[in-house]
Amino acid sequence: MLVQTATPSSHEEDAEFNPLLSAEARFDEAANQLRLDDGMRKVLRSPAREITVHIPVVLDDGRIEVFTGYRVQHSIARGPAKGGIRYAPDVTLNEVRALASWMTWKCAVVNLPFGGGKGGVICNPAQLSQFELERITRRYTAEIIEFIGPEKDVPAPDMNTNEQTMAWIMDTYSMHMRQTTTAVVTGKPIDLGGSKGRPEATGRGCMISTEQALRLFNWKPEDTRVVIQGFGNVGGMAARLMARENYKIISIIEYDCAIFNPHGLDIEALMTHRKETGTIAGFAGGEEIDRFEALFLDCEVLIPAAKENVITSHNASKIRARILVEGANGPTTSMADPILAEKRIFVVPDILANAGGVTVSYFEWVQDRQGYFWNENLVNERLREIMVNSFNDVVKYAEMHKVNNRTAAYMLALDRVQFAIKLRGLYA
Ligand code: NAD
């Protein structure tokens, strides 16, 4: 079981687990280090635009329901806003705001010519048919149509939205514009202007980040034991690609159990097993261990790639990995940061480690606008170049300013965005 080092009050716990507060804490730390003046802090904190729409939709049984949707454009200082659209019953404007600013920093840290945005619709996709989801998507798109576009704001999939959702948005936008405009969204099916290499991109970015961190430690993949939480798009792809490069993936942690093999798991066999049975449990190539304890296994690299708030002030002291590569968004709370720093764990923060996804989304947008599609090798090569350069930028920045990698990543991002704002000047 998960051992707690202190019993927090629910108030403290709420604050620790609130991604908005965590994002603010990191923003403040970076802004203080950069000695940003109050005016610039106000500009960088405030979203440029927030749109709320109420979407009337006829359900399959003939009833009318009204859904609420948001699109927040946090910054367009460095280029069009970029960020996903999520469908979930608990979407709030506050959450969308926090996620939009997160996208601004993520795009800036890997130096993409994008700002940050995010959208969401309050609905429960599990209770909606495909036809209902299509109508919600099309009406939501129509309601925000003046504010999106290849040069304005480029949405992408997020929680409970996918390639099909992007195809509907692209089609609705194109019908209104009277011309097919594939570059209005990314994460599209390959036959509608999607990019090769997109499904693997985030996992590949995690692998490249790991590889760069190993170089600093002088370690080789074959001597590197890796634990991965989450066997989905990010964690599954990272596991598959890293196993091919001879990393020893000693444990995969899922929501129902963890599988452990000290000699390294056969990832392809585990994928086949999960496909056939729907779970990693019962896999013959490893033993089942407690899924909470698995996070604290002795290993060189830990990749949390499932969800937010996994490494907290209550368990960070038990982490034994030397390198933490954050595949998920927000897997570490801001209160866990000092504990990891004290343990001298080398952290590749989420806004860098999982930026491979948005980087290949950028390539998709470029290819759509060029009307010329790259082969997978070229996509992967260019992704590598961006990930390696960004990793080096962050590590150098950390050394120069004597801060940890997370603070360095935020400082670099804030600095790039504020520099663009200053160069442009404030239009009055
Ligand atoms: P996914 O749904 O494909 O995979 C998540 C996996 O984690 C699933 O297999 C799920 O069963 C497992 N999981 C859920 N709760 C768990 C728990 N408590 N313990 C262990 N396993 C659990 O999602 P994804 O696309 O891989 O995204 C994972 C994380 O990465 C999210 O935080 C997401 O925001 C972030 N992310 C994804 C991308 C991308 O390109 N997909 C890009 C950047 C960041």
Side-chain angles (χ1 to χ4, degrees), residues 106 198 202 229-235 253-255 274 291 305-307 327-329 354 357:
K106 193 183 287 191
R198 177 63 186 92
T202 310
Q229 185 195 44
F231 203 43
N233 177 270
V234 180
I253 311 170
E254 259 294 326
Y255 67 93
R274 213 259 306 260
R291 69 188 181 94
K307 57 191 279 286
N329 283 322
N354 69 33

PDB file of all heavy atoms in Angstrom, residues 106 198 202 229-235 253-255 274 291 305-307 327-329 354 357, ligand 1:
ATOM      1  N   LYS A 106       4.496  25.126 -23.118  1.00  0.00           N
ATOM      2  CA  LYS A 106       5.018  23.934 -23.803  1.00  0.00           C
ATOM      3  C   LYS A 106       5.503  24.282 -25.217  1.00  0.00           C
ATOM      4  O   LYS A 106       6.582  23.869 -25.629  1.00  0.00           O
ATOM      5  CB  LYS A 106       3.928  22.851 -23.866  1.00  0.00           C
ATOM      6  CG  LYS A 106       4.464  21.494 -24.268  1.00  0.00           C
ATOM      7  CD  LYS A 106       3.381  20.456 -24.399  1.00  0.00           C
ATOM      8  CE  LYS A 106       2.842  20.025 -23.063  1.00  0.00           C
ATOM      9  NZ  LYS A 106       1.963  18.837 -23.170  1.00  0.00           N
ATOM     10  N   ARG A 198       2.649  10.693 -36.023  1.00  0.00           N
ATOM     11  CA  ARG A 198       1.954  11.377 -34.926  1.00  0.00           C
ATOM     12  C   ARG A 198       1.601  10.430 -33.778  1.00  0.00           C
ATOM     13  O   ARG A 198       1.816  10.780 -32.607  1.00  0.00           O
ATOM     14  CB  ARG A 198       0.717  12.145 -35.453  1.00  0.00           C
ATOM     15  CG  ARG A 198      -0.107  12.827 -34.357  1.00  0.00           C
ATOM     16  CD  ARG A 198       0.699  13.903 -33.627  1.00  0.00           C
ATOM     17  NE  ARG A 198       0.001  14.494 -32.491  1.00  0.00           N
ATOM     18  CZ  ARG A 198       0.090  14.066 -31.240  1.00  0.00           C
ATOM     19  NH1 ARG A 198       0.805  12.996 -30.934  1.00  0.00           N
ATOM     20  NH2 ARG A 198      -0.537  14.695 -30.263  1.00  0.00           N
ATOM     21  N   THR A 202       4.640  11.344 -29.054  1.00  0.00           N
ATOM     22  CA  THR A 202       4.859  11.711 -27.650  1.00  0.00           C
ATOM     23  C   THR A 202       5.754  10.670 -26.971  1.00  0.00           C
ATOM     24  O   THR A 202       6.689  11.024 -26.240  1.00  0.00           O
ATOM     25  CB  THR A 202       3.516  11.878 -26.916  1.00  0.00           C
ATOM     26  OG1 THR A 202       2.688  12.726 -27.712  1.00  0.00           O
ATOM     27  CG2 THR A 202       3.696  12.503 -25.558  1.00  0.00           C
ATOM     28  N   GLN A 229       4.540   4.021 -15.998  1.00  0.00           N
ATOM     29  CA  GLN A 229       3.143   3.981 -15.540  1.00  0.00           C
ATOM     30  C   GLN A 229       2.252   4.425 -16.692  1.00  0.00           C
ATOM     31  O   GLN A 229       2.427   5.518 -17.236  1.00  0.00           O
ATOM     32  CB  GLN A 229       2.942   4.920 -14.354  1.00  0.00           C
ATOM     33  CG  GLN A 229       1.520   4.801 -13.797  1.00  0.00           C
ATOM     34  CD  GLN A 229       1.165   5.945 -12.868  1.00  0.00           C
ATOM     35  OE1 GLN A 229       1.458   7.097 -13.155  1.00  0.00           O
ATOM     36  NE2 GLN A 229       0.525   5.624 -11.760  1.00  0.00           N
ATOM     37  N   GLY A 230       1.275   3.583 -17.055  1.00  0.00           N
ATOM     38  CA  GLY A 230       0.379   3.899 -18.179  1.00  0.00           C
ATOM     39  C   GLY A 230       0.862   3.173 -19.415  1.00  0.00           C
ATOM     40  O   GLY A 230       2.019   3.321 -19.823  1.00  0.00           O
ATOM     41  N   PHE A 231      -0.030   2.353 -19.996  1.00  0.00           N
ATOM     42  CA  PHE A 231       0.349   1.564 -21.180  1.00  0.00           C
ATOM     43  C   PHE A 231      -0.549   1.980 -22.335  1.00  0.00           C
ATOM     44  O   PHE A 231      -0.998   1.168 -23.121  1.00  0.00           O
ATOM     45  CB  PHE A 231       0.201   0.065 -20.836  1.00  0.00           C
ATOM     46  CG  PHE A 231       1.018  -0.865 -21.685  1.00  0.00           C
ATOM     47  CD1 PHE A 231       2.339  -0.591 -22.012  1.00  0.00           C
ATOM     48  CD2 PHE A 231       0.460  -2.060 -22.146  1.00  0.00           C
ATOM     49  CE1 PHE A 231       3.078  -1.480 -22.788  1.00  0.00           C
ATOM     50  CE2 PHE A 231       1.194  -2.951 -22.915  1.00  0.00           C
ATOM     51  CZ  PHE A 231       2.515  -2.666 -23.243  1.00  0.00           C
ATOM     52  N   GLY A 232      -0.829   3.291 -22.400  1.00  0.00           N
ATOM     53  CA  GLY A 232      -1.702   3.811 -23.453  1.00  0.00           C
ATOM     54  C   GLY A 232      -0.888   4.400 -24.577  1.00  0.00           C
ATOM     55  O   GLY A 232       0.199   3.907 -24.896  1.00  0.00           O
ATOM     56  N   ASN A 233      -1.382   5.501 -25.155  1.00  0.00           N
ATOM     57  CA  ASN A 233      -0.687   6.079 -26.300  1.00  0.00           C
ATOM     58  C   ASN A 233       0.752   6.459 -25.926  1.00  0.00           C
ATOM     59  O   ASN A 233       1.705   6.029 -26.585  1.00  0.00           O
ATOM     60  CB  ASN A 233      -1.461   7.287 -26.835  1.00  0.00           C
ATOM     61  CG  ASN A 233      -0.706   7.944 -27.969  1.00  0.00           C
ATOM     62  OD1 ASN A 233       0.105   8.834 -27.746  1.00  0.00           O
ATOM     63  ND2 ASN A 233      -0.909   7.485 -29.184  1.00  0.00           N
ATOM     64  N   VAL A 234       0.914   7.224 -24.865  1.00  0.00           N
ATOM     65  CA  VAL A 234       2.253   7.723 -24.524  1.00  0.00           C
ATOM     66  C   VAL A 234       3.119   6.602 -23.939  1.00  0.00           C
ATOM     67  O   VAL A 234       4.211   6.301 -24.454  1.00  0.00           O
ATOM     68  CB  VAL A 234       2.171   8.904 -23.525  1.00  0.00           C
ATOM     69  CG1 VAL A 234       3.563   9.401 -23.175  1.00  0.00           C
ATOM     70  CG2 VAL A 234       1.327  10.036 -24.090  1.00  0.00           C
ATOM     71  N   GLY A 235       2.642   5.968 -22.858  1.00  0.00           N
ATOM     72  CA  GLY A 235       3.448   4.955 -22.163  1.00  0.00           C
ATOM     73  C   GLY A 235       3.675   3.717 -23.022  1.00  0.00           C
ATOM     74  O   GLY A 235       4.777   3.155 -23.043  1.00  0.00           O
ATOM     75  N   ILE A 253       3.004  -0.281 -15.233  1.00  0.00           N
ATOM     76  CA  ILE A 253       1.963  -0.104 -14.213  1.00  0.00           C
ATOM     77  C   ILE A 253       0.682   0.350 -14.909  1.00  0.00           C
ATOM     78  O   ILE A 253       0.707   1.311 -15.683  1.00  0.00           O
ATOM     79  CB  ILE A 253       2.382   0.978 -13.184  1.00  0.00           C
ATOM     80  CG1 ILE A 253       3.809   0.723 -12.670  1.00  0.00           C
ATOM     81  CG2 ILE A 253       1.367   1.073 -12.055  1.00  0.00           C
ATOM     82  CD1 ILE A 253       4.387   1.869 -11.835  1.00  0.00           C
ATOM     83  N   GLU A 254      -0.402  -0.335 -14.643  1.00  0.00           N
ATOM     84  CA  GLU A 254      -1.704   0.089 -15.188  1.00  0.00           C
ATOM     85  C   GLU A 254      -2.664   0.394 -14.033  1.00  0.00           C
ATOM     86  O   GLU A 254      -2.284   0.303 -12.869  1.00  0.00           O
ATOM     87  CB  GLU A 254      -2.253  -0.993 -16.120  1.00  0.00           C
ATOM     88  CG  GLU A 254      -2.039  -0.677 -17.609  1.00  0.00           C
ATOM     89  CD  GLU A 254      -2.836   0.559 -18.071  1.00  0.00           C
ATOM     90  OE1 GLU A 254      -3.947   0.783 -17.570  1.00  0.00           O
ATOM     91  OE2 GLU A 254      -2.328   1.301 -18.936  1.00  0.00           O
ATOM     92  N   TYR A 255      -3.917   0.757 -14.365  1.00  0.00           N
ATOM     93  CA  TYR A 255      -4.837   1.144 -13.299  1.00  0.00           C
ATOM     94  C   TYR A 255      -5.282  -0.059 -12.443  1.00  0.00           C
ATOM     95  O   TYR A 255      -5.702   0.091 -11.309  1.00  0.00           O
ATOM     96  CB  TYR A 255      -6.084   1.836 -13.887  1.00  0.00           C
ATOM     97  CG  TYR A 255      -6.934   0.896 -14.691  1.00  0.00           C
ATOM     98  CD1 TYR A 255      -7.997   0.220 -14.111  1.00  0.00           C
ATOM     99  CD2 TYR A 255      -6.632   0.625 -16.025  1.00  0.00           C
ATOM    100  CE1 TYR A 255      -8.749  -0.690 -14.834  1.00  0.00           C
ATOM    101  CE2 TYR A 255      -7.384  -0.262 -16.752  1.00  0.00           C
ATOM    102  CZ  TYR A 255      -8.431  -0.921 -16.156  1.00  0.00           C
ATOM    103  OH  TYR A 255      -9.147  -1.826 -16.863  1.00  0.00           O
ATOM    104  N   ARG A 274      -2.501  -7.788 -23.808  1.00  0.00           N
ATOM    105  CA  ARG A 274      -3.501  -6.766 -23.427  1.00  0.00           C
ATOM    106  C   ARG A 274      -4.605  -6.661 -24.492  1.00  0.00           C
ATOM    107  O   ARG A 274      -5.778  -6.490 -24.182  1.00  0.00           O
ATOM    108  CB  ARG A 274      -2.815  -5.421 -23.216  1.00  0.00           C
ATOM    109  CG  ARG A 274      -3.471  -4.571 -22.125  1.00  0.00           C
ATOM    110  CD  ARG A 274      -4.377  -3.478 -22.613  1.00  0.00           C
ATOM    111  NE  ARG A 274      -3.728  -2.623 -23.546  1.00  0.00           N
ATOM    112  CZ  ARG A 274      -3.207  -1.436 -23.239  1.00  0.00           C
ATOM    113  NH1 ARG A 274      -3.290  -0.992 -22.007  1.00  0.00           N
ATOM    114  NH2 ARG A 274      -2.640  -0.718 -24.167  1.00  0.00           N
ATOM    115  N   ARG A 291       0.488  -2.215  -7.544  1.00  0.00           N
ATOM    116  CA  ARG A 291       0.678  -1.132  -8.513  1.00  0.00           C
ATOM    117  C   ARG A 291       1.140   0.179  -7.867  1.00  0.00           C
ATOM    118  O   ARG A 291       1.716   1.033  -8.535  1.00  0.00           O
ATOM    119  CB  ARG A 291      -0.583  -0.914  -9.341  1.00  0.00           C
ATOM    120  CG  ARG A 291      -1.756  -0.345  -8.588  1.00  0.00           C
ATOM    121  CD  ARG A 291      -2.985  -0.371  -9.469  1.00  0.00           C
ATOM    122  NE  ARG A 291      -4.116   0.186  -8.785  1.00  0.00           N
ATOM    123  CZ  ARG A 291      -4.495   1.453  -8.873  1.00  0.00           C
ATOM    124  NH1 ARG A 291      -3.821   2.294  -9.626  1.00  0.00           N
ATOM    125  NH2 ARG A 291      -5.541   1.880  -8.211  1.00  0.00           N
ATOM    126  N   ALA A 305       3.278   8.064 -17.208  1.00  0.00           N
ATOM    127  CA  ALA A 305       2.652   8.431 -18.488  1.00  0.00           C
ATOM    128  C   ALA A 305       1.175   8.075 -18.473  1.00  0.00           C
ATOM    129  O   ALA A 305       0.634   7.608 -19.475  1.00  0.00           O
ATOM    130  CB  ALA A 305       3.380   7.728 -19.633  1.00  0.00           C
ATOM    131  N   ALA A 306       0.532   8.257 -17.303  1.00  0.00           N
ATOM    132  CA  ALA A 306      -0.886   7.891 -17.226  1.00  0.00           C
ATOM    133  C   ALA A 306      -1.760   9.098 -16.916  1.00  0.00           C
ATOM    134  O   ALA A 306      -2.706   9.400 -17.653  1.00  0.00           O
ATOM    135  CB  ALA A 306      -1.090   6.828 -16.146  1.00  0.00           C
ATOM    136  N   LYS A 307      -1.461   9.802 -15.840  1.00  0.00           N
ATOM    137  CA  LYS A 307      -2.367  10.835 -15.360  1.00  0.00           C
ATOM    138  C   LYS A 307      -1.629  11.859 -14.488  1.00  0.00           C
ATOM    139  O   LYS A 307      -0.449  11.683 -14.194  1.00  0.00           O
ATOM    140  CB  LYS A 307      -3.508  10.202 -14.565  1.00  0.00           C
ATOM    141  CG  LYS A 307      -3.040   9.359 -13.388  1.00  0.00           C
ATOM    142  CD  LYS A 307      -4.151   8.548 -12.790  1.00  0.00           C
ATOM    143  CE  LYS A 307      -5.018   9.341 -11.848  1.00  0.00           C
ATOM    144  NZ  LYS A 307      -4.405   9.635 -10.548  1.00  0.00           N
ATOM    145  N   GLY A 327       6.031  11.810 -18.849  1.00  0.00           N
ATOM    146  CA  GLY A 327       5.257  11.593 -20.079  1.00  0.00           C
ATOM    147  C   GLY A 327       3.866  12.191 -19.980  1.00  0.00           C
ATOM    148  O   GLY A 327       3.347  12.764 -20.941  1.00  0.00           O
ATOM    149  N   ALA A 328       3.240  12.076 -18.814  1.00  0.00           N
ATOM    150  CA  ALA A 328       1.897  12.627 -18.613  1.00  0.00           C
ATOM    151  C   ALA A 328       1.980  14.132 -18.389  1.00  0.00           C
ATOM    152  O   ALA A 328       3.067  14.673 -18.148  1.00  0.00           O
ATOM    153  CB  ALA A 328       1.236  11.957 -17.409  1.00  0.00           C
ATOM    154  N   ASN A 329       0.845  14.799 -18.442  1.00  0.00           N
ATOM    155  CA  ASN A 329       0.793  16.204 -18.057  1.00  0.00           C
ATOM    156  C   ASN A 329       0.584  16.287 -16.550  1.00  0.00           C
ATOM    157  O   ASN A 329      -0.332  15.648 -16.014  1.00  0.00           O
ATOM    158  CB  ASN A 329      -0.384  16.893 -18.751  1.00  0.00           C
ATOM    159  CG  ASN A 329      -0.078  17.200 -20.204  1.00  0.00           C
ATOM    160  OD1 ASN A 329       1.045  17.577 -20.543  1.00  0.00           O
ATOM    161  ND2 ASN A 329      -1.071  17.040 -21.065  1.00  0.00           N
ATOM    162  N   ASN A 354       6.997  15.637 -22.784  1.00  0.00           N
ATOM    163  CA  ASN A 354       5.902  15.144 -23.637  1.00  0.00           C
ATOM    164  C   ASN A 354       5.578  16.092 -24.791  1.00  0.00           C
ATOM    165  O   ASN A 354       4.530  15.975 -25.428  1.00  0.00           O
ATOM    166  CB  ASN A 354       4.666  14.783 -22.804  1.00  0.00           C
ATOM    167  CG  ASN A 354       3.972  15.987 -22.198  1.00  0.00           C
ATOM    168  OD1 ASN A 354       3.948  17.073 -22.779  1.00  0.00           O
ATOM    169  ND2 ASN A 354       3.358  15.801 -21.036  1.00  0.00           N
ATOM    170  N   GLY A 357       4.495  15.325 -28.950  1.00  0.00           N
ATOM    171  CA  GLY A 357       3.165  15.309 -29.571  1.00  0.00           C
ATOM    172  C   GLY A 357       2.855  16.622 -30.264  1.00  0.00           C
ATOM    173  O   GLY A 357       2.490  16.642 -31.452  1.00  0.00           O
TER     174      GLY A 357
HETATM  175  P1  NAD B   1      -4.278   6.970 -22.890  1.00  0.00           P
HETATM  176  O1  NAD B   1      -5.669   7.016 -22.436  1.00  0.00           O
HETATM  177  O2  NAD B   1      -3.956   6.452 -24.252  1.00  0.00           O
HETATM  178  O3  NAD B   1      -3.385   6.096 -21.867  1.00  0.00           O
HETATM  179  C1  NAD B   1      -3.409   6.237 -20.495  1.00  0.00           C
HETATM  180  C2  NAD B   1      -3.132   4.869 -19.893  1.00  0.00           C
HETATM  181  O4  NAD B   1      -2.960   5.027 -18.489  1.00  0.00           O
HETATM  182  C3  NAD B   1      -4.272   3.883 -20.104  1.00  0.00           C
HETATM  183  O5  NAD B   1      -3.763   2.640 -20.533  1.00  0.00           O
HETATM  184  C4  NAD B   1      -4.924   3.794 -18.719  1.00  0.00           C
HETATM  185  O6  NAD B   1      -5.518   2.533 -18.461  1.00  0.00           O
HETATM  186  C5  NAD B   1      -3.739   4.041 -17.811  1.00  0.00           C
HETATM  187  N1  NAD B   1      -4.117   4.541 -16.490  1.00  0.00           N
HETATM  188  C6  NAD B   1      -5.140   5.362 -16.157  1.00  0.00           C
HETATM  189  N2  NAD B   1      -5.168   5.617 -14.837  1.00  0.00           N
HETATM  190  C7  NAD B   1      -4.115   4.931 -14.322  1.00  0.00           C
HETATM  191  C8  NAD B   1      -3.608   4.786 -13.021  1.00  0.00           C
HETATM  192  N3  NAD B   1      -4.194   5.378 -11.972  1.00  0.00           N
HETATM  193  N4  NAD B   1      -2.509   4.017 -12.844  1.00  0.00           N
HETATM  194  C9  NAD B   1      -1.914   3.411 -13.896  1.00  0.00           C
HETATM  195  N5  NAD B   1      -2.362   3.504 -15.159  1.00  0.00           N
HETATM  196  C10 NAD B   1      -3.452   4.256 -15.376  1.00  0.00           C
HETATM  197  O7  NAD B   1      -3.714   8.449 -22.691  1.00  0.00           O
HETATM  198  P2  NAD B   1      -2.385   9.076 -23.311  1.00  0.00           P
HETATM  199  O8  NAD B   1      -2.709   9.766 -24.575  1.00  0.00           O
HETATM  200  O9  NAD B   1      -1.302   8.044 -23.286  1.00  0.00           O
HETATM  201  O10 NAD B   1      -2.065  10.218 -22.240  1.00  0.00           O
HETATM  202  C11 NAD B   1      -1.455   9.927 -20.984  1.00  0.00           C
HETATM  203  C12 NAD B   1      -0.980  11.222 -20.363  1.00  0.00           C
HETATM  204  O11 NAD B   1      -0.089  11.893 -21.263  1.00  0.00           O
HETATM  205  C13 NAD B   1      -2.063  12.264 -20.053  1.00  0.00           C
HETATM  206  O12 NAD B   1      -1.648  12.994 -18.922  1.00  0.00           O
HETATM  207  C14 NAD B   1      -2.033  13.166 -21.284  1.00  0.00           C
HETATM  208  O13 NAD B   1      -2.545  14.439 -21.005  1.00  0.00           O
HETATM  209  C15 NAD B   1      -0.544  13.208 -21.542  1.00  0.00           C
HETATM  210  N6  NAD B   1      -0.150  13.587 -22.898  1.00  0.00           N
HETATM  211  C16 NAD B   1      -0.556  12.870 -23.988  1.00  0.00           C
HETATM  212  C17 NAD B   1      -0.130  13.245 -25.255  1.00  0.00           C
HETATM  213  C18 NAD B   1      -0.495  12.435 -26.468  1.00  0.00           C
HETATM  214  O14 NAD B   1       0.037  12.743 -27.553  1.00  0.00           O
HETATM  215  N7  NAD B   1      -1.316  11.411 -26.372  1.00  0.00           N
HETATM  216  C19 NAD B   1       0.680  14.376 -25.423  1.00  0.00           C
HETATM  217  C20 NAD B   1       1.089  15.083 -24.288  1.00  0.00           C
HETATM  218  C21 NAD B   1       0.674  14.684 -23.034  1.00  0.00           C
END
